[in-house]
Amino acid sequence: MRFRGVLLVLFALPLLWGALSLLRAGAANGAPDCPGLQLDAEGESSPGPMRKGDRCALSYDTATGRSTGTSTYDQLKFAQEVKRRSLGREGVLFVLYGAAGIGITFAATRKRGS
């Protein structure tokens, strides 16, 4: 029976990871996050959630005051959707793998009546 416990733990970990991935996919919604300096349409610093027309200075040089890489709201929103779909697929696969493994383990190690 010890072997059964080890197998159950080994399949429970992917099951939990899949559940967490599905939760993360569900949370990746709304306005995209700017990982750098958020700028409005006029180029001024804009705190708060991103809005259409905002840009994000991904790499900002404080010495020159220039951004070396920018993304628009639409680009960040697209990246957010791609990440959400990826997390959703990953979550579903891990949940199915973990649940199937636990089910097979129970079926293979159950006590059979004589």
XYZ file of all heavy atoms in Angstrom:
846
model
N 0.810 -1.209 0.000
C 0.000 0.000 0.000
C 0.851 1.271 0.000
O 0.372 2.326 -0.348
C -0.933 0.016 1.214
C -2.141 -0.848 1.053
S -2.989 -0.301 -0.420
C -4.115 -1.600 -0.646
N 2.096 1.166 0.421
C 2.967 2.332 0.413
C 3.209 2.821 -1.022
O 3.272 4.014 -1.280
C 4.278 1.970 1.078
C 5.188 3.138 1.219
C 6.398 2.788 2.019
N 7.286 3.932 1.986
C 8.415 3.998 2.590
N 8.822 2.969 3.301
N 9.156 5.052 2.515
N 3.338 1.886 -1.940
C 3.531 2.219 -3.351
C 2.354 3.033 -3.876
O 2.521 3.989 -4.629
C 3.711 0.922 -4.150
C 3.912 1.142 -5.616
C 5.078 1.730 -6.085
C 2.937 0.779 -6.531
C 5.271 1.955 -7.433
C 3.114 0.992 -7.876
C 4.290 1.577 -8.334
N 1.154 2.678 -3.447
C -0.047 3.383 -3.875
C -0.012 4.833 -3.403
O -0.346 5.751 -4.156
C -1.274 2.678 -3.319
C -2.575 3.340 -3.668
C -3.717 2.582 -3.042
N -4.990 3.156 -3.387
C -6.134 2.712 -2.949
N -6.170 1.644 -2.159
N -7.250 3.284 -3.293
N 0.431 5.055 -2.186
C 0.519 6.413 -1.653
C 1.504 7.269 -2.426
O 1.256 8.448 -2.683
N 2.639 6.674 -2.788
C 3.641 7.404 -3.560
C 3.076 7.783 -4.919
O 3.240 8.914 -5.384
C 4.927 6.561 -3.709
C 5.887 7.202 -4.694
C 5.596 6.373 -2.362
N 2.387 6.846 -5.550
C 1.785 7.138 -6.857
C 0.726 8.235 -6.753
O 0.639 9.112 -7.614
C 1.177 5.873 -7.467
C 2.155 4.888 -8.075
C 1.418 3.648 -8.562
C 2.925 5.520 -9.212
N -0.077 8.181 -5.695
C -1.119 9.190 -5.532
C -0.506 10.578 -5.369
O -0.996 11.555 -5.945
C -2.018 8.856 -4.350
C -2.923 7.647 -4.548
C -3.719 7.370 -3.287
C -3.857 7.856 -5.719
N 0.574 10.679 -4.609
C 1.234 11.974 -4.439
C 1.820 12.441 -5.774
O 1.717 13.614 -6.130
C 2.333 11.892 -3.355
C 3.209 13.128 -3.365
C 1.692 11.700 -1.988
N 2.424 11.512 -6.516
C 3.015 11.885 -7.799
C 1.976 12.370 -8.804
O 2.272 13.193 -9.661
C 3.805 10.714 -8.385
C 5.116 10.397 -7.667
C 5.759 9.153 -8.277
C 6.070 11.568 -7.734
N 0.760 11.870 -8.704
C -0.295 12.344 -9.601
C -1.060 13.527 -9.014
O -1.683 14.291 -9.750
C -1.265 11.208 -9.947
C -0.683 10.219 -10.909
C -0.485 8.896 -10.541
C -0.311 10.598 -12.180
C 0.059 7.981 -11.427
C 0.239 9.698 -13.075
C 0.418 8.392 -12.692
N -1.016 13.697 -7.697
C -1.697 14.839 -7.080
C -0.959 16.138 -7.384
O -1.594 17.189 -7.526
C -1.829 14.626 -5.578
N 0.365 16.076 -7.493
C 1.132 17.294 -7.789
C 0.772 17.904 -9.137
O 0.506 19.111 -9.215
C 2.627 17.012 -7.686
C 3.142 16.725 -6.262
C 4.607 16.338 -6.307
C 2.903 17.899 -5.359
N 0.721 17.123 -10.227
C 0.278 17.721 -11.499
C -1.172 18.206 -11.451
O -1.513 19.213 -12.064
C 0.426 16.591 -12.520
C 1.336 15.619 -11.903
C 1.199 15.761 -10.426
N -2.001 17.496 -10.689
C -3.395 17.908 -10.548
C -3.467 19.289 -9.891
O -4.185 20.176 -10.361
C -4.168 16.877 -9.731
C -5.651 17.134 -9.525
C -6.398 16.998 -10.839
C -6.199 16.161 -8.503
N -2.707 19.496 -8.827
C -2.690 20.792 -8.159
C -2.074 21.871 -9.041
O -2.557 23.003 -9.083
C -1.927 20.688 -6.840
C -2.610 19.875 -5.745
C -1.688 19.712 -4.549
C -3.912 20.521 -5.346
N -0.991 21.522 -9.747
C -0.358 22.496 -10.646
C -1.344 22.924 -11.736
O -1.420 24.100 -12.102
C 0.913 21.903 -11.262
C 1.632 22.893 -12.109
C 1.584 23.005 -13.464
C 2.487 23.935 -11.659
N 2.364 24.047 -13.888
C 2.934 24.641 -12.793
C 2.919 24.344 -10.399
C 3.783 25.729 -12.702
C 3.773 25.427 -10.325
C 4.188 26.096 -11.466
N -2.095 21.962 -12.261
C -3.088 22.280 -13.281
C -4.183 23.186 -12.746
O -4.617 24.118 -13.427
N -4.624 22.919 -11.514
C -5.652 23.768 -10.906
C -5.128 25.189 -10.722
O -5.842 26.164 -10.996
C -6.098 23.177 -9.572
N -3.881 25.324 -10.291
C -3.288 26.658 -10.142
C -3.151 27.360 -11.500
O -3.395 28.568 -11.600
C -1.921 26.558 -9.469
C -1.935 26.269 -7.978
C -0.521 26.046 -7.469
C -2.605 27.400 -7.223
N -2.782 26.620 -12.526
C -2.673 27.212 -13.862
C -4.027 27.693 -14.354
O -4.125 28.760 -14.978
C -2.090 26.200 -14.846
O -0.757 25.910 -14.522
N -5.074 26.935 -14.080
C -6.416 27.359 -14.482
C -6.845 28.606 -13.717
O -7.481 29.505 -14.291
C -7.416 26.222 -14.261
C -7.311 25.065 -15.243
C -8.238 23.931 -14.834
C -7.629 25.523 -16.657
N -6.488 28.691 -12.443
C -6.803 29.896 -11.676
C -6.044 31.106 -12.216
O -6.602 32.204 -12.316
C -6.475 29.678 -10.196
C -7.406 28.747 -9.436
C -6.862 28.477 -8.038
C -8.804 29.331 -9.364
N -4.772 30.909 -12.562
C -3.983 31.999 -13.138
C -4.554 32.436 -14.483
O -4.556 33.622 -14.813
C -2.528 31.574 -13.295
C -1.788 31.486 -11.978
C -0.369 30.991 -12.144
N 0.384 31.840 -13.047
C 1.426 31.423 -13.752
N 1.837 30.164 -13.668
N 2.071 32.241 -14.538
N -5.031 31.474 -15.277
C -5.628 31.818 -16.573
C -6.894 32.642 -16.367
O -7.148 33.598 -17.113
C -5.938 30.547 -17.368
N -7.667 32.294 -15.372
C -8.877 33.051 -15.081
C -8.587 34.452 -14.579
O -9.349 35.393 -14.815
N -7.462 34.618 -13.901
C -7.104 35.927 -13.350
C -6.464 36.841 -14.397
O -6.384 38.045 -14.185
C -6.152 35.752 -12.173
N -5.987 36.279 -15.498
C -5.338 37.088 -16.544
C -6.412 37.717 -17.416
O -6.623 37.333 -18.550
C -4.392 36.220 -17.375
N -7.081 38.706 -16.862
C -8.192 39.344 -17.543
C -8.149 40.837 -17.229
O -7.480 41.258 -16.305
C -9.509 38.729 -17.063
C -10.572 38.803 -18.116
O -10.380 39.342 -19.195
N -11.730 38.268 -17.800
N -8.842 41.622 -17.967
C -8.894 43.047 -17.699
C -7.799 43.813 -18.419
O -7.246 43.367 -19.419
N -7.464 44.972 -17.870
C -6.434 45.827 -18.477
C -5.074 45.158 -18.328
O -4.764 44.598 -17.286
C -6.435 47.187 -17.805
N -4.255 45.222 -19.368
C -2.919 44.616 -19.269
C -2.028 45.406 -18.304
O -2.237 46.600 -18.082
C -2.383 44.685 -20.695
C -3.137 45.785 -21.342
C -4.478 45.824 -20.681
N -1.045 44.719 -17.749
C -0.086 45.361 -16.853
C 1.125 45.827 -17.641
O 1.617 45.118 -18.511
C 0.373 44.376 -15.769
C -0.739 44.028 -14.803
O -1.570 44.903 -14.523
O -0.757 42.880 -14.318
N 1.596 46.996 -17.303
C 2.806 47.533 -17.920
C 3.986 47.201 -17.014
O 4.025 47.659 -15.875
C 2.681 49.043 -18.087
S 4.188 49.819 -18.702
N 4.939 46.391 -17.496
C 6.083 46.040 -16.655
C 7.133 47.143 -16.569
O 8.123 47.002 -15.864
C 6.660 44.800 -17.345
C 6.277 44.958 -18.765
C 4.946 45.680 -18.761
N 6.921 48.244 -17.250
C 7.878 49.348 -17.241
C 7.196 50.649 -16.864
O 6.353 50.688 -15.978
N 7.531 51.711 -17.562
C 6.962 53.032 -17.327
C 5.766 53.226 -18.258
O 5.897 53.153 -19.476
C 8.018 54.114 -17.593
C 7.570 55.556 -17.423
C 7.223 55.818 -15.961
C 8.652 56.496 -17.901
N 4.621 53.484 -17.674
C 3.389 53.646 -18.455
C 3.242 55.099 -18.871
O 3.320 56.004 -18.056
C 2.196 53.206 -17.612
C 0.888 53.244 -18.347
C -0.213 52.657 -17.493
O -0.001 51.683 -16.799
N -1.381 53.249 -17.549
N 3.016 55.307 -20.178
C 2.887 56.650 -20.733
C 1.534 56.809 -21.404
O 1.051 55.896 -22.075
C 3.996 56.902 -21.759
C 5.429 56.693 -21.278
C 6.387 56.747 -22.456
C 5.792 57.716 -20.231
N 0.924 57.998 -21.241
C -0.349 58.246 -21.912
C -0.091 58.684 -23.356
O 1.045 58.676 -23.828
C -1.186 59.267 -21.141
C -0.521 60.626 -21.008
O 0.472 60.877 -21.723
O -0.990 61.434 -20.191
N -1.135 59.092 -24.060
C -1.015 59.452 -25.476
C -0.096 60.661 -25.696
O 0.523 60.786 -26.751
C -2.399 59.745 -26.053
N 0.024 61.522 -24.696
C 0.883 62.693 -24.818
C 2.323 62.411 -24.394
O 3.176 63.292 -24.450
C 0.333 63.859 -23.966
C -0.927 64.488 -24.539
C -2.163 63.679 -24.203
O -2.239 63.094 -23.100
O -3.058 63.593 -25.060
N 2.612 61.225 -23.913
C 3.959 60.872 -23.492
C 4.245 61.158 -22.029
O 5.373 61.052 -21.581
N 3.214 61.510 -21.267
C 3.372 61.777 -19.836
C 3.163 60.486 -19.046
O 2.424 59.595 -19.457
C 2.343 62.822 -19.376
C 2.491 64.161 -20.051
C 3.766 64.873 -19.636
O 4.160 64.766 -18.466
O 4.366 65.527 -20.512
N 3.810 60.410 -17.904
C 3.657 59.250 -17.025
C 2.196 59.129 -16.607
O 1.556 60.115 -16.234
C 4.547 59.416 -15.796
O 4.369 58.333 -14.924
N 1.660 57.933 -16.693
C 0.240 57.715 -16.434
C 0.059 56.551 -15.463
O 0.083 55.390 -15.873
C -0.472 57.426 -17.759
O -1.800 57.045 -17.531
N -0.138 56.830 -14.172
C -0.358 55.738 -13.220
C -1.756 55.151 -13.363
O -2.630 55.735 -13.992
C -0.183 56.417 -11.867
C -0.553 57.837 -12.113
C -0.152 58.136 -13.533
N -1.943 53.992 -12.792
C -3.250 53.339 -12.838
C -3.325 52.325 -13.953
O -2.328 52.029 -14.620
N -4.524 51.800 -14.189
C -4.665 50.783 -15.242
C -4.449 51.373 -16.631
O -4.737 52.550 -16.869
C -6.098 50.282 -15.075
C -6.797 51.343 -14.314
C -5.775 52.061 -13.494
N -3.926 50.558 -17.531
C -3.695 51.012 -18.909
C -5.020 51.224 -19.618
O -5.991 50.521 -19.375
C -2.868 49.987 -19.681
C -1.402 50.021 -19.357
S -0.426 49.074 -20.531
C -0.225 50.281 -21.830
N -5.008 52.225 -20.495
C -6.181 52.514 -21.316
C -5.757 52.541 -22.778
O -4.574 52.640 -23.093
C -6.757 53.874 -20.912
C -7.310 53.890 -19.492
C -7.800 55.269 -19.083
N -6.745 56.269 -18.985
C -5.952 56.425 -17.933
N -6.077 55.644 -16.887
N -5.034 57.379 -17.925
N -6.714 52.448 -23.664
C -6.426 52.551 -25.104
C -5.648 53.833 -25.364
O -5.961 54.874 -24.805
C -7.724 52.576 -25.912
C -8.366 51.237 -26.059
C -7.904 50.650 -27.351
C -8.773 49.469 -27.720
N -8.081 48.588 -28.610
N -4.620 53.732 -26.188
C -3.798 54.886 -26.507
C -2.560 54.997 -25.630
O -1.642 55.743 -25.954
N -2.531 54.280 -24.498
C -1.353 54.310 -23.631
C -0.243 53.465 -24.237
O -0.486 52.557 -25.024
C -1.681 53.769 -22.236
C -2.512 54.729 -21.409
O -2.747 55.863 -21.871
O -2.916 54.337 -20.306
N 0.986 53.822 -23.866
C 2.155 53.048 -24.271
C 2.899 52.624 -23.017
O 2.730 53.208 -21.958
C 3.086 53.880 -25.146
C 2.529 54.191 -26.508
C 3.432 55.123 -27.272
N 3.525 56.382 -26.522
C 4.622 57.118 -26.439
N 5.715 56.751 -27.043
N 4.633 58.247 -25.762
N 3.741 51.636 -23.185
C 4.537 51.145 -22.066
C 5.999 51.151 -22.478
O 6.372 50.505 -23.456
C 4.082 49.735 -21.695
S 4.968 49.044 -20.303
N 6.812 51.924 -21.738
C 8.249 51.936 -21.971
C 8.828 50.732 -21.240
O 8.951 50.735 -20.022
C 8.851 53.233 -21.466
N 9.142 49.689 -21.985
C 9.586 48.438 -21.382
C 10.974 48.549 -20.785
O 11.275 47.965 -19.760
C 9.537 47.318 -22.421
C 8.165 47.070 -23.029
C 8.272 46.077 -24.160
C 7.192 46.590 -21.982
N 11.835 49.287 -21.438
C 13.191 49.489 -20.948
C 13.458 50.985 -20.983
O 13.496 51.596 -22.050
C 14.196 48.731 -21.820
O 15.500 48.907 -21.334
N 13.617 51.576 -19.821
C 13.713 53.025 -19.719
C 15.086 53.410 -19.195
O 15.536 52.922 -18.161
C 12.614 53.532 -18.782
C 12.492 55.024 -18.718
C 11.882 55.721 -19.741
C 12.981 55.721 -17.631
C 11.756 57.094 -19.691
C 12.859 57.097 -17.570
C 12.238 57.779 -18.602
O 12.108 59.139 -18.551
N 15.781 54.277 -19.917
C 17.096 54.751 -19.521
C 16.929 56.059 -18.748
O 16.546 57.083 -19.326
C 17.970 54.952 -20.762
C 19.398 55.327 -20.425
O 19.750 55.332 -19.230
O 20.158 55.610 -21.366
N 17.223 56.026 -17.452
C 17.036 57.231 -16.636
C 18.070 58.297 -16.936
O 17.831 59.477 -16.692
C 17.097 56.869 -15.139
O 18.321 56.188 -14.871
C 15.927 55.997 -14.746
N 19.225 57.910 -17.466
C 20.270 58.892 -17.774
C 19.861 59.791 -18.938
O 20.061 61.011 -18.903
C 21.580 58.186 -18.094
N 19.282 59.203 -19.981
C 18.894 59.987 -21.157
C 17.417 60.357 -21.151
O 16.998 61.247 -21.883
C 19.190 59.209 -22.451
O 18.410 58.017 -22.469
C 20.660 58.872 -22.558
N 16.619 59.660 -20.359
C 15.185 59.929 -20.330
C 14.442 59.345 -21.507
O 13.333 59.746 -21.808
N 15.057 58.394 -22.188
C 14.423 57.783 -23.362
C 14.133 56.320 -23.108
O 14.852 55.643 -22.393
C 15.329 57.898 -24.575
C 15.536 59.308 -25.001
C 16.297 59.359 -26.264
N 16.143 60.689 -26.824
C 16.413 60.983 -28.046
N 16.858 60.077 -28.860
N 16.246 62.202 -28.475
N 13.086 55.852 -23.752
C 12.769 54.429 -23.664
C 13.429 53.701 -24.832
O 13.454 54.200 -25.948
C 11.256 54.212 -23.686
O 10.687 54.783 -24.823
N 13.965 52.534 -24.544
C 14.645 51.761 -25.585
C 13.757 50.672 -26.160
O 14.153 49.993 -27.076
C 15.940 51.141 -25.033
O 15.613 50.353 -23.892
C 16.928 52.214 -24.639
N 12.593 50.508 -25.617
C 11.633 49.538 -26.137
C 10.246 49.895 -25.641
O 10.064 50.185 -24.457
N 9.274 49.944 -26.539
C 7.916 50.305 -26.125
C 6.918 49.284 -26.661
O 7.179 48.593 -27.646
C 7.518 51.699 -26.648
O 7.578 51.684 -28.071
C 8.416 52.776 -26.103
N 5.788 49.214 -25.984
C 4.655 48.411 -26.436
C 3.401 49.252 -26.307
O 3.281 50.069 -25.387
C 4.487 47.153 -25.575
O 5.466 46.212 -25.868
N 2.480 49.028 -27.210
C 1.203 49.729 -27.137
C 0.231 48.915 -26.287
O 0.484 47.760 -25.943
C 0.606 49.918 -28.535
O 0.313 48.625 -29.088
C 1.547 50.682 -29.442
N -0.879 49.530 -25.967
C -1.936 48.862 -25.219
C -2.379 47.593 -25.953
O -2.521 46.535 -25.345
C -3.119 49.812 -25.027
C -4.329 49.168 -24.395
C -4.454 49.126 -23.021
C -5.342 48.617 -25.175
C -5.563 48.535 -22.432
C -6.443 48.030 -24.595
C -6.555 47.988 -23.223
O -7.644 47.390 -22.649
N -2.579 47.713 -27.267
C -3.055 46.563 -28.047
C -2.038 45.425 -28.056
O -2.420 44.250 -27.986
C -3.375 46.983 -29.481
C -4.572 47.915 -29.549
O -5.478 47.787 -28.690
O -4.603 48.769 -30.450
N -0.764 45.746 -28.124
C 0.267 44.701 -28.102
C 0.285 43.976 -26.755
O 0.377 42.749 -26.705
C 1.641 45.300 -28.388
C 1.820 45.745 -29.818
C 3.093 46.549 -30.012
O 3.554 47.232 -29.106
N 3.656 46.460 -31.216
N 0.187 44.731 -25.672
C 0.180 44.107 -24.351
C -1.096 43.308 -24.123
O -1.077 42.252 -23.479
C 0.355 45.161 -23.258
C 1.749 45.777 -23.167
C 1.767 46.923 -22.174
C 2.777 44.733 -22.789
N -2.222 43.782 -24.647
C -3.488 43.052 -24.516
C -3.412 41.731 -25.282
O -3.866 40.695 -24.788
C -4.642 43.919 -25.045
C -6.002 43.362 -24.776
C -6.310 43.405 -23.306
C -7.725 42.916 -23.065
N -8.013 42.742 -21.651
N -2.809 41.748 -26.470
C -2.638 40.523 -27.249
C -1.750 39.532 -26.499
O -2.052 38.342 -26.420
C -2.050 40.838 -28.626
C -1.791 39.625 -29.460
C -2.837 38.941 -30.062
C -0.505 39.145 -29.636
C -2.605 37.802 -30.826
C -0.259 38.015 -30.388
C -1.311 37.343 -30.988
N -0.636 40.019 -25.947
C 0.263 39.146 -25.178
C -0.443 38.565 -23.970
O -0.236 37.392 -23.611
C 1.498 39.927 -24.739
N -1.300 39.346 -23.332
C -2.067 38.864 -22.186
C -3.016 37.735 -22.598
O -3.142 36.729 -21.896
C -2.857 40.023 -21.577
C -3.672 39.653 -20.366
C -4.506 40.824 -19.889
O -4.973 41.637 -20.694
N -4.700 40.917 -18.599
N -3.669 37.873 -23.742
C -4.583 36.843 -24.229
C -3.840 35.561 -24.600
O -4.307 34.462 -24.334
C -5.382 37.356 -25.431
C -6.404 38.406 -25.073
C -7.451 37.868 -24.120
O -7.957 36.747 -24.322
O -7.753 38.576 -23.133
N -2.664 35.710 -25.223
C -1.852 34.543 -25.576
C -1.451 33.794 -24.308
O -1.534 32.564 -24.235
C -0.619 34.952 -26.408
C 0.375 33.819 -26.536
C -1.052 35.445 -27.771
N -1.017 34.530 -23.285
C -0.612 33.917 -22.017
C -1.801 33.228 -21.348
O -1.672 32.133 -20.796
C -0.022 34.987 -21.098
C 0.455 34.481 -19.780
C 1.692 33.651 -19.944
C 2.281 33.299 -18.598
N 3.411 32.417 -18.700
N -2.972 33.856 -21.405
C -4.171 33.276 -20.795
C -4.549 31.957 -21.469
O -4.837 30.973 -20.808
C -5.338 34.268 -20.875
C -6.557 33.848 -20.071
C -7.629 34.914 -20.105
N -8.134 35.164 -21.429
C -9.057 34.411 -22.038
N -9.548 33.364 -21.444
N -9.468 34.718 -23.242
N -4.501 31.936 -22.788
C -4.818 30.695 -23.510
C -3.797 29.608 -23.208
O -4.144 28.443 -23.025
C -4.889 30.956 -25.013
C -6.161 31.642 -25.450
C -6.330 31.608 -26.963
N -5.234 32.240 -27.680
C -5.216 33.503 -28.075
N -6.231 34.284 -27.803
N -4.191 33.984 -28.733
N -2.527 29.983 -23.134
C -1.463 29.028 -22.830
C -1.649 28.434 -21.431
O -1.528 27.218 -21.244
C -0.104 29.713 -22.945
O 0.920 28.860 -22.525
N -1.942 29.286 -20.456
C -2.169 28.792 -19.098
C -3.407 27.901 -19.036
O -3.422 26.909 -18.304
C -2.325 29.966 -18.127
C -1.053 30.703 -17.747
C -1.382 31.984 -16.994
C -0.153 29.808 -16.917
N -4.431 28.235 -19.793
C -5.640 27.411 -19.818
C -5.377 26.022 -20.380
O -5.802 25.018 -19.811
N -4.643 25.967 -21.491
C -4.301 24.658 -22.077
C -3.435 23.847 -21.132
O -3.668 22.653 -20.922
C -3.591 24.844 -23.419
C -4.489 25.171 -24.570
C -3.761 25.073 -25.909
N -2.609 25.956 -25.986
C -2.633 27.200 -26.435
N -3.783 27.712 -26.850
N -1.553 27.938 -26.485
N -2.429 24.493 -20.560
C -1.541 23.809 -19.624
C -2.330 23.281 -18.426
O -2.131 22.144 -17.998
C -0.470 24.785 -19.140
C 0.445 24.242 -18.077
C 1.393 25.303 -17.563
O 2.151 25.868 -18.377
O 1.375 25.563 -16.345
N -3.225 24.104 -17.901
C -4.023 23.703 -16.752
C -4.904 22.502 -17.047
O -4.972 21.562 -16.255
N -5.567 22.526 -18.183
C -6.448 21.409 -18.552
C -5.644 20.115 -18.716
O -6.046 19.056 -18.225
C -7.241 21.740 -19.841
C -7.905 20.510 -20.416
C -8.271 22.812 -19.554
N -4.497 20.204 -19.378
C -3.682 18.999 -19.584
C -3.182 18.423 -18.265
O -3.252 17.208 -18.048
C -2.507 19.301 -20.509
C -2.862 19.513 -21.966
C -1.631 19.951 -22.757
C -3.444 18.253 -22.574
N -2.696 19.265 -17.364
C -2.202 18.772 -16.082
C -3.327 18.208 -15.220
O -3.143 17.197 -14.534
C -1.443 19.865 -15.323
C -0.001 19.985 -15.721
C 0.448 21.103 -16.398
C 0.899 18.985 -15.435
C 1.769 21.230 -16.765
C 2.225 19.094 -15.800
C 2.668 20.222 -16.471
N -4.492 18.850 -15.231
C -5.621 18.338 -14.454
C -6.055 16.979 -14.994
O -6.288 16.032 -14.224
C -6.796 19.345 -14.450
C -8.077 18.699 -13.969
C -6.457 20.545 -13.578
N -6.157 16.860 -16.318
C -6.542 15.567 -16.900
C -5.515 14.481 -16.594
O -5.879 13.353 -16.237
C -6.737 15.699 -18.409
C -7.959 16.478 -18.863
C -7.949 16.651 -20.379
C -9.229 15.807 -18.404
N -4.238 14.811 -16.711
C -3.166 13.848 -16.424
C -3.221 13.392 -14.962
O -3.163 12.205 -14.666
C -1.805 14.479 -16.743
C -0.632 13.629 -16.336
C -0.235 12.551 -17.105
C 0.076 13.904 -15.172
C 0.845 11.769 -16.736
C 1.155 13.137 -14.785
C 1.542 12.070 -15.575
O 2.601 11.291 -15.203
N -3.339 14.355 -14.046
C -3.383 14.012 -12.622
C -4.615 13.202 -12.260
O -4.532 12.216 -11.533
N -5.770 13.607 -12.770
C -7.006 12.885 -12.467
C -6.981 11.481 -13.063
O -7.395 10.507 -12.409
C -8.203 13.671 -12.997
N -6.503 11.340 -14.285
C -6.416 10.015 -14.899
C -5.434 9.131 -14.132
O -5.719 7.949 -13.896
C -5.981 10.136 -16.363
N -4.304 9.674 -13.743
C -3.325 8.895 -12.990
C -3.868 8.432 -11.650
O -3.658 7.276 -11.252
N -4.581 9.303 -10.948
C -5.175 8.917 -9.662
C -6.234 7.845 -9.883
O -6.299 6.857 -9.142
C -5.741 10.159 -8.942
C -4.590 11.026 -8.449
C -6.645 9.760 -7.787
C -5.008 12.364 -7.888
N -7.055 8.011 -10.907
C -8.084 7.009 -11.194
C -7.490 5.656 -11.544
O -7.950 4.610 -11.054
N -6.466 5.647 -12.367
C -5.820 4.385 -12.752
C -5.140 3.753 -11.549
O -5.192 2.529 -11.369
C -4.816 4.633 -13.900
C -5.583 4.976 -15.179
C -3.913 3.438 -14.112
C -4.715 5.495 -16.300
N -4.522 4.572 -10.690
C -3.879 4.040 -9.496
C -4.891 3.378 -8.582
O -4.664 2.275 -8.064
C -3.135 5.162 -8.732
O -2.146 5.713 -9.604
C -2.470 4.635 -7.489
N -6.018 4.025 -8.368
C -7.064 3.423 -7.522
C -7.587 2.127 -8.143
O -7.782 1.136 -7.456
C -8.220 4.396 -7.297
C -8.033 5.262 -6.102
C -7.935 6.633 -6.232
C -7.975 4.716 -4.834
C -7.745 7.432 -5.141
C -7.801 5.516 -3.718
C -7.685 6.893 -3.866
N -7.824 2.150 -9.442
C -8.347 0.948 -10.110
C -7.358 -0.196 -10.080
O -7.723 -1.363 -9.892
C -8.726 1.289 -11.545
N -6.083 0.082 -10.230
C -5.068 -0.968 -10.289
C -4.702 -1.520 -8.920
O -4.243 -2.664 -8.815
C -3.801 -0.444 -10.964
N -4.894 -0.758 -7.863
C -4.462 -1.206 -6.544
C -5.612 -1.508 -5.585
O -5.370 -1.773 -4.417
C -3.556 -0.143 -5.895
O -4.267 1.081 -5.771
C -2.289 0.065 -6.712
N -6.829 -1.519 -6.068
C -7.956 -1.796 -5.154
C -7.941 -3.274 -4.776
O -7.449 -4.130 -5.508
C -9.266 -1.404 -5.798
C -9.679 -2.303 -6.922
C -11.102 -2.017 -7.373
N -11.458 -3.023 -8.327
C -11.718 -2.794 -9.580
N -11.685 -1.567 -10.041
N -12.029 -3.772 -10.394
N -8.511 -3.542 -3.627
C -8.584 -4.940 -3.168
C -9.720 -5.635 -3.896
O -10.813 -5.117 -4.019
C -8.820 -4.989 -1.664
C -7.651 -4.470 -0.884
C -7.850 -4.694 0.572
C -6.602 -4.197 1.296
N -6.521 -4.664 2.632
N -9.411 -6.809 -4.368
C -10.411 -7.569 -5.122
C -11.037 -8.633 -4.212
O -10.348 -9.291 -3.456
C -9.770 -8.227 -6.331
C -9.180 -7.192 -7.258
C -8.389 -7.849 -8.347
N -7.559 -6.840 -8.998
C -7.730 -6.445 -10.228
N -8.649 -6.965 -10.965
N -6.950 -5.520 -10.737
N -12.306 -8.755 -4.325
C -13.013 -9.781 -3.537
C -12.795 -11.171 -4.135
O -12.638 -11.338 -5.342
N -12.729 -12.189 -3.299
C -12.479 -13.545 -3.779
C -13.718 -14.214 -4.211
O -14.694 -14.360 -3.703
C -11.809 -14.379 -2.708
O -10.560 -13.812 -2.411
